[in-house]
Amino acid sequence: MDKPYVYERLRRAGQIRLLCLQPGTLDNDIHFTLVSVNLHENPEYEAISYCWGDPTDVKTVYCNGKTIQVTTSLYTALRRFRKPDEERTLWADAVCINQKDNAEKTEQVKLMHRIYSQPSHILIWLGDDMTGLDGLKESIQGALEVLPPSSEDTEFLQRVSKEMFREASRLRKEKKPNFNDHNWAPINYVFCRPWFNRRWIIQEVAMAPEHVPRTCICGEIEFSWTDLADIAYRIGSHGLGSSIAGLSVINYYSPTMWSFFLENGRPFLSLTSTFMAMLIKRYQGTSNLVDAITATATFKATDGRDHLYSLLNLTPFNSDLQPDYTVTPSQACMRFALATLRKDKNLRVLSLAPHTFVGVGDVVANRLPGLPSWVPDLTCQGGVNPMVSYTIRKQLFHAGGPDVFADVSKDNTRLHLRGCIVDTIAAVTTANIDVPFPSEEDILPKTHISARVKMRVRNWLRECRDLAAFPKSWTDRLHDDNFRKEFAETVLCGMTGMRDALPPDLLPYVEMYMGYVFDYFEEGYKLTEELREAMLTYGALIESSTTGMVEARRFCRTEGGRLGQVRKEAQVGDSVCVIFGAEVPYVIRPIEAEDHGGEGVRCYRLIGDAFVHGVMQGEALVDEKYETVDITLV
């Protein structure tokens, strides 16, 4: 029987192993040697980025003539990258790091940013399966030609948003290339590869200098990661995702939109993930860790601790946080919360908490054990887009003013804050994500999936509208211009999808948008050219907010008559509070007396951040009727 390979300990700081892959053909066993080198000596190597795959699906390879078990995914990568007549020097984490030695793993993960910043080439292995990829290179090149250019400028993005759908409509009439008629199917099939939702890919593609090539390899097909990522960035920054995926009310003619729904919508999720990876790369060094975690909610990690550790080198250095695989995932989350509260004085970390994973139906209570409600569980961040601004954008809301008071108890179980209890939730709608998708029978005599999309949006907006107008009817409230403005702002959470202020000319078109989805199902309805132009001009901005910010939220009305958007977990009777130093208001829930933090101490469970009209810009801080109180979160 072949003997298993035994790792020799790495003994010096900055030392890593490189994999020297021996020549061979597809039919040969895979042989390599591992050599120790020092990163400061700038060794020559190529770095592999890949998805580990099923840990139980393994193949045998040979290191120095002794066996190592690797996943089939890495096995196929090594077989594909092996040259027939010369050695190739690579770095692959599963082999170059002794995965059974937590101490070594901790030290090597600290070096990951250097490992991926120094290779001559980054090889992105997507697997052997080339299904659906015919015409991929043409699809990528065509997409780069029909999409609007990249930009971070708010005014430019909003201006292009008002022009791009009308321009696409004009080009379609002239039978010229446009993003609606483009063949997105090959790109969507690429996005079905599991590599795209790995957290570690962000660091693996972001750290190297721009001149280092990043090549995606899928079977025998090779293409540029930079080109594919640029496509995702343009789609994301311009708010085109819903449109080309057929999820838009105002733009739904993409002939290949069905391909975005492959594997339960994986292409759409991967597109979003790639956009976020590029966003982090572009702002690397200027954003902070909360930004990075906010942007990567949909990414996956096999090890719960890697939801944090994979991001540490992408933001300015925080000496309080270092990879440590001797602690549990719960302890890693606690360390993150404590370090962020001490360093980031505007309490933005609270918008990441408590975050159970949200899907269609009930909230899934799969939080890590032992975490107080104010500590975010970084392993289940998907489903809710936090209200706080990215630090790379101008801060939009100032509910709690600039002065922070935050103190953590000695046992790290309670967070002491100060603020004002300003209101109580009186009524909530169905969460946007839980509004049922209409059937073909529901939309008759209309047909096609576009009508089903419209009806679902109509049903959600109708529930929001009726709750907002209560106890009157919507028709009775239409004469009240202030109410109409308040409703429109609340539907959009007061922001665009990139957390920029709403354009002043947008709000009147929210009502036109509502009128369109309501009237569409009336007998004899015909779309006027005026309304068509209005929707093509403003619809994308409206939908970037409604799809980006409110999917896992409930529209609400408070006892004080305010309108708001709150987390799906929020209930009637929960309190709305403004915390001193916090950017946005929060919903909290009083806990039972036996769970209080001590005699005379009123304790709450954090439910999550909120948009509540009328308290977003510090209004509660100057209103004498609101008393300053101590707020203890447990």
Side-chain angles (χ1 to χ4, degrees):
M1 178 179 288
D2 294 322
K3 292 183 178 181
Y5 178 78
V6 178
Y7 283 88
E8 293 184 7
R9 186 176 297 276
L10 295 171
R11 300 188 182 280
R12 286 181 286 178
Q15 196 172 38
I16 66 169
R17 299 183 186 91
L18 292 178
L19 185 160
C20 300
L21 185 60
Q22 303 304 305
T25 64
L26 288 178
D27 296 329
N28 298 143
D29 289 332
I30 293 174
H31 289 265
F32 55 83
T33 60
L34 288 175
V35 298
S36 298
V37 298
N38 290 302
L39 279 171
H40 70 268
E41 295 177 354
N42 297 316
E44 284 284 332
Y45 62 95
E46 299 170 278
I48 302 177
S49 177
Y50 68 104
C51 183
W52 277 35
D54 184 353
T56 65
D57 182 13
V58 296
K59 300 283 188 181
T60 300
V61 294
Y62 296 89
C63 178
N64 296 345
K66 298 180 181 179
T67 62
I68 290 181
Q69 300 295 310
V70 299
T71 63
T72 296
S73 176
L74 179 56
Y75 178 86
T76 57
L78 294 175
R79 188 177 61 180
R80 170 68 170 81
F81 298 154
R82 181 171 53 183
K83 295 182 178 181
D85 52 9
E86 63 179 294
E87 186 177 271
R88 191 169 194 177
T89 303
L90 305 167
W91 188 89
D93 57 355
V95 173
C96 295
I97 300 174
N98 182 358
Q99 298 294 328
K100 296 180 179 179
D101 184 341
N102 276 336
E104 177 181 304
K105 186 176 177 182
T106 294
E107 293 305 312
Q108 290 288 289
V109 168
K110 292 177 183 178
L111 297 174
M112 289 282 276
H113 67 295
R114 293 179 59 189
I115 293 170
Y116 276 99
S117 65
Q118 295 182 206
S120 61
H121 194 179
I122 296 175
L123 304 166
I124 300 170
W125 177 242
L126 302 180
D128 275 330
D129 185 8
M130 296 184 287
T131 303
L133 302 189
D134 291 344
L136 175 63
K137 291 184 178 180
E138 294 79 4
S139 181
I140 290 174
Q141 184 57 43
L144 292 170
E145 293 171 0
V146 299
L147 289 171
S150 299
S151 176
E152 292 85 40
D153 180 75
T154 299
E155 292 183 3
F156 176 82
L157 291 173
Q158 292 181 355
R159 183 173 71 252
V160 171
S161 177
K162 294 176 183 179
E163 299 169 353
M164 58 191 179
F165 289 110
R166 285 182 298 171
E167 179 68 5
S169 179
R170 181 187 67 80
L171 291 170
R172 165 174 276 163
K173 289 180 180 178
E174 297 176 4
K175 297 184 178 180
K176 295 180 179 179
N178 62 86
F179 64 77
N180 277 321
D181 291 329
H182 183 66
N183 178 21
W184 295 102
I187 293 175
N188 289 335
Y189 274 103
V190 163
F191 278 137
C192 285
R193 274 58 185 177
W195 179 86
F196 286 93
N197 64 9
R198 289 180 56 245
R199 274 188 176 271
W200 281 107
I201 72 169
I202 305 168
Q203 186 165 222
E204 292 166 3
V205 299
M207 300 307 301
E210 290 298 328
H211 70 271
V212 174
R214 298 154 170 85
T215 304
C216 294
I217 303 102
C218 191
E220 297 302 315
I221 300 173
E222 297 187 8
F223 58 95
S224 167
W225 152 261
T226 302
D227 287 344
L228 185 66
D230 188 31
I231 290 169
Y233 190 83
R234 296 193 206 184
I235 291 173
S237 60
H238 290 290
L240 289 170
S242 295
S243 173
I244 60 178
L247 298 173
S248 170
V249 163
I250 53 96
N251 204 69
Y252 47 84
Y253 296 109
S254 175
T256 55
M257 67 185 185
W258 62 269
S259 63
F260 277 88
F261 302 108
L262 293 167
E263 297 187 20
N264 296 318
R266 175 173 282 182
F268 193 68
L269 292 174
S270 296
L271 174 74
T272 302
S273 296
T274 304
F275 164 57
M276 290 303 181
M278 286 297 291
L279 192 70
I280 291 172
K281 182 178 184 300
R282 290 194 178 210
Y283 291 101
Q284 185 182 342
T286 58
S287 60
N288 67 17
L289 190 54
V290 175
D291 289 335
I293 289 173
T294 299
T296 58
T298 60
F299 284 88
K300 304 290 192 298
T302 303
D303 189 319
R305 295 162 292 195
D306 287 340
H307 286 276
L308 174 63
Y309 298 163
S310 64
L311 303 174
L312 291 181
N313 292 310
L314 297 169
T315 58
F317 184 74
N318 186 332
S319 59
D320 293 330
L321 290 171
Q322 291 289 335
D324 183 355
Y325 288 93
T326 67
V327 304
T328 66
S330 294
Q331 290 170 324
C333 291
M334 177 62 79
R335 289 184 178 186
F336 160 71
L338 294 175
T340 308
L341 282 168
R342 290 169 183 148
K343 186 166 185 174
D344 184 353
K345 300 300 183 182
N346 68 3
L347 304 179
R348 296 175 69 248
V349 68
L350 296 181
S351 278
L352 298 175
H355 260 142
T356 49
F357 178 77
V358 178
V360 178
D362 293 336
V363 174
V364 180
N366 60 346
R367 271 174 63 80
L368 291 170
L371 293 181
S373 65
W374 52 272
V375 175
D377 181 346
L378 302 181
T379 68
C380 54
Q381 285 289 299
V384 183
N385 213 344
M387 292 285 182
V388 294
S389 302
Y390 290 114
T391 55
I392 57 175
R393 317 293 283 186
K394 183 179 179 181
Q395 183 172 321
L396 183 57
F397 303 124
H398 301 82
D403 299 324
V404 176
F405 173 85
D407 183 45
V408 180
S409 64
K410 290 182 179 180
D411 62 358
N412 293 335
T413 62
R414 299 187 295 279
L415 176 61
H416 302 292
L417 305 162
R418 286 182 184 153
C420 307
I421 307 295
V422 297
D423 220 326
T424 303
I425 296 177
V428 293
T429 65
T430 305
N432 180 284
I433 197 173
D434 289 337
V435 175
F437 204 79
S439 66
E440 293 289 350
E441 291 75 19
D442 292 332
I443 63 172
L444 291 174
K446 302 288 187 182
T447 59
H448 200 263
I449 191 173
S450 62
R452 297 172 68 189
V453 170
K454 285 186 176 69
M455 181 171 281
R456 183 180 181 277
V457 173
R458 183 205 67 176
N459 293 346
W460 171 68
L461 282 172
R462 181 164 57 190
E463 190 175 356
C464 297
R465 181 196 70 177
D466 293 346
L467 181 144
F470 184 85
K472 298 182 179 180
S473 69
W474 177 256
T475 304
D476 292 337
R477 301 296 296 268
L478 288 181
H479 68 280
D480 186 340
D481 290 341
N482 288 333
F483 169 79
R484 292 159 62 186
K485 179 175 180 291
E486 180 180 342
F487 178 79
E489 288 179 346
T490 306
V491 165
L492 304 182
C493 292
M495 70 182 86
T496 67
M498 285 291 286
R499 296 171 180 77
D500 294 315
L502 296 172
D505 59 346
L506 178 64
L507 292 180
Y509 293 94
V510 175
E511 200 167 315
M512 292 183 67
Y513 179 91
M514 290 174 55
Y516 169 54
V517 296
F518 289 149
D519 295 343
Y520 179 80
F521 293 96
E522 297 297 323
E523 186 176 353
Y525 172 76
K526 290 185 178 180
L527 177 67
T528 66
E529 186 61 26
E530 177 186 10
L531 182 58
R532 177 180 174 276
E533 284 292 307
M535 290 299 95
L536 289 175
T537 303
Y538 292 95
L541 283 170
I542 293 171
E543 292 185 335
S544 74
S545 295
T546 55
T547 60
M549 299 308 301
V550 306
E551 184 179 32
R553 296 185 186 273
R554 300 175 187 266
F555 193 93
C556 79
R557 188 183 70 252
T558 69
E559 291 181 357
R562 296 183 176 91
L563 302 181
Q565 295 272 13
V566 296
R567 294 284 184 87
K568 177 176 175 176
E569 299 95 324
Q571 302 173 0
V572 171
D574 287 344
S575 299
V576 176
C577 73
V578 169
I579 297 170
F580 293 168
E583 184 175 340
V584 298
Y586 287 85
V587 174
I588 57 178
R589 183 176 301 158
I591 66 172
E592 298 298 326
E594 59 267 24
D595 295 328
H596 283 185
E599 186 176 352
V601 177
R602 185 63 164 163
C603 293
Y604 299 85
R605 183 169 291 112
L606 178 63
I607 303 303
D609 61 358
F611 177 91
V612 180
H613 202 278
V615 296
M616 300 302 294
Q617 299 298 342
E619 298 91 336
L621 305 182
V622 296
D623 193 328
E624 294 182 355
K625 70 180 178 182
Y626 299 119
E627 178 186 359
T628 297
V629 296
D630 292 326
I631 299 170
T632 298
L633 300 179
V634 296

